[in-house]
Amino acid sequence: MTETVTTHEPYARAVQEPDDAPVPHLSVVVPVYNEEESIPHLYRRLTVELENLGLPYEIIAVDDGSRDRSFDLLRDLAQRDRRLRVVRFRRNFGQTAAFSAGFDRARGDVVVTIDADLQNDPADIAALLAKIEEGYDVVSGWRERRRDPFLNRRLPSMIANRLISWATGVHLHDYGCSLKAYRRDVVRSIRLYGELHRFIPAIASWQGVSVTELPVRHVPRRFGKSKYGINRTLRVLLDLVTVRFLLSYGTRPMQIFGLLGILAGGAGLAIGAYLTWIKLAYGTAIADRPLLLLAVLLIVLGVQFISLGLIGELVVRTYYETQAKPIYVVREEVNGDG
Ligand code: UDP
Ligand code: MG
């Protein structure tokens, strides 16, 4: 389920746009994987809420390789309602990929994501939009009273949220909540891999956007079953290591690997020097000392780390320069004659 997924702008531009419909202000992205019972309810409730907002909108449902009737139901609905667009994956690529496909196609200035299983309440979208109007770039839902089992869902999620907040410096109570709103630029400029969708607020914060959270309602799943178990926690933790690394050292890998290399290599050299000294000065036998092994290990490690740092520096240059990507994000520019 952890597929590598890229969202390339040129690809996004190649996506076919229906040209006579009004340009939506709001795009709602819904990932769908085997949710046939929920779809009719979801469609009805979303439509009611979105019509109440009185803004042009579109719903982009991404069928992530469902093996039930989800796609047929969505297609029938889309044939009657032009505001509903359906994307069907060839196989199950995972929720992150589904979001990514939705973001590539979203035309609205604001993009809202919501789960298909009705655990989120579409009525909360209005409040999220109000926050965006206030000027925030990302509004993250917070399932304050989350209605999932405690031991295998809420507890791991509590720990993960603390860890992510601490490691990324973006303090949110509920990274895992799918109900979120973004300005389109934010999601367009972020490439998603693995299970990274939950980290969008943290990744976006690197670009200097403002992030806030808002308590939202949450209800137990009524139909179908959850697609995840406890093993997701481990994958989230691994993704956290990736995000933390990219946020801090994504453009300067030598500074972390070089530091580790100096520490390891330095300690190895110091131990080696000590052993050499007692050998030469006192004639002590050192060949059978574990310390000698440690010294050798640390020196080899040190060389490895520094080489890794240098290779990292090469990779970073290739990454940024082949895509002509800047290593900064500009808010605006003012010049005299403009
Ligand atoms: N989902 C998906 N692809 C997957 C797994 C899940 O598109 O591989 C969708 C699923 O249909 C639902 C949302 O992602 O709309 C959240 O999944 P789920 O409710 O199972 O997660 P939970 O709420 O239990 O964390
Ligand atoms: Mg759910």
Side-chain angles (χ1 to χ4, degrees):
M1 235 185 278
T2 48
E3 283 305 312
T4 305
V5 179
T6 357
T7 51
H8 290 300
E9 278 291 331
Y11 169 68
R13 258 181 259 120
V15 170
Q16 283 291 316
E17 315 262 322
D19 34 48
D20 50 338
V23 177
H25 173 71
L26 174 66
S27 299
V28 179
V29 175
V30 195
V32 179
Y33 182 45
N34 296 340
E35 307 280 6
E36 56 183 3
E37 299 106 318
S38 303
I39 285 170
H41 304 275
L42 175 77
Y43 173 73
R44 207 175 40 242
R45 289 186 41 202
L46 260 182
T47 303
V48 168
E49 294 301 334
L50 293 173
E51 278 177 353
N52 280 342
L53 291 175
L55 299 162
Y57 70 86
E58 64 182 352
I59 301 173
I60 305 176
V62 184
D63 172 23
D64 185 12
S66 298
R67 280 181 295 267
D68 63 1
R69 286 172 32 255
S70 296
F71 176 74
D72 300 331
L73 295 174
L74 287 169
R75 185 189 43 206
D76 291 349
L77 289 168
Q79 273 160 0
R80 274 175 279 135
D81 184 350
R82 307 209 44 197
R83 296 165 302 186
L84 174 64
R85 302 164 68 190
V86 185
V87 182
R88 184 186 198 183
F89 283 175
R90 282 200 179 272
R91 64 167 173 87
N92 179 244
F93 282 94
Q95 203 181 342
T96 300
F99 280 135
S100 194
F103 295 157
D104 288 341
R105 287 159 180 79
R107 290 171 299 161
D109 302 324
V110 181
V111 179
V112 167
T113 53
I114 189 167
D115 279 348
D117 58 5
L118 295 164
Q119 288 198 267
N120 300 128
D121 188 346
D124 285 321
I125 292 177
L128 293 181
L129 281 184
K131 278 279 177 199
I132 294 274
E133 296 301 317
E134 269 178 42
Y136 290 101
D137 299 299
V138 178
V139 186
S140 180
W142 167 20
R143 295 163 293 181
E144 208 173 358
R145 262 178 285 153
R146 186 169 167 187
R147 308 288 296 276
D148 277 323
F150 180 76
L151 215 55
N152 64 348
R153 304 305 298 274
R154 277 175 20 229
L155 183 69
S157 141
M158 241 164 69
I159 299 171
N161 284 314
R162 292 273 167 82
L163 268 176
I164 299 174
S165 297
W166 167 77
T168 62
V170 180
H171 294 269
L172 295 181
H173 287 91
D174 192 3
Y175 268 90
C177 181
S178 285
L179 186 56
K180 292 190 170 91
Y182 311 91
R183 269 180 220 285
R184 186 184 48 189
D185 310 343
V186 173
V187 288
R188 275 285 167 107
S189 60
I190 290 179
R191 308 267 185 279
L192 292 177
Y193 299 87
E195 307 259 292
L196 287 194
H197 64 87
R198 72 185 56 240
F199 293 99
I200 297 175
I203 301 172
S205 82
W206 177 84
Q207 308 188 340
V209 307
S210 52
V211 179
T212 189
E213 67 182 349
L214 191 78
V216 294
R217 281 166 285 242
H218 194 242
V219 293
R221 213 181 222 281
R222 263 177 72 201
F223 308 105
K225 32 179 207 292
S226 173
K227 311 297 181 293
Y228 300 104
I230 186 90
N231 64 349
R232 176 165 61 180
T233 316
L234 203 62
R235 285 191 266 152
V236 168
L237 289 182
L238 291 173
D239 275 341
L240 174 61
V241 176
T242 310
V243 169
R244 174 70 224 230
F245 174 76
L246 290 178
L247 289 183
S248 318
Y249 300 104
T251 58
R252 46 187 190 123
M254 188 56 178
Q255 300 206 350
I256 182 76
F257 291 117
L259 183 70
L260 292 173
I262 288 173
L263 290 179
L269 285 177
I271 297 173
Y274 162 74
L275 290 175
T276 310
W277 181 63
I278 59 169
K279 167 83 184 170
L280 293 182
Y282 306 103
T284 321
I286 58 168
D288 57 348
R289 297 195 55 171
L291 212 52
L292 183 63
L293 266 182
L294 183 65
V296 173
L297 175 70
L298 285 174
I299 292 171
V300 173
L301 263 185
V303 174
Q304 294 277 313
F305 271 133
I306 291 178
S307 317
L308 210 56
L310 288 173
I311 292 176
E313 291 286 330
L314 286 178
V315 173
V316 167
R317 279 160 184 69
T318 315
Y319 175 70
Y320 283 94
E321 287 170 23
T322 49
Q323 305 186 52
K325 271 169 84 79
I327 58 166
Y328 48 78
V329 187
V330 174
R331 173 172 291 178
E332 55 188 315
E333 281 185 43
V334 180
N335 48 33
D337 42 63

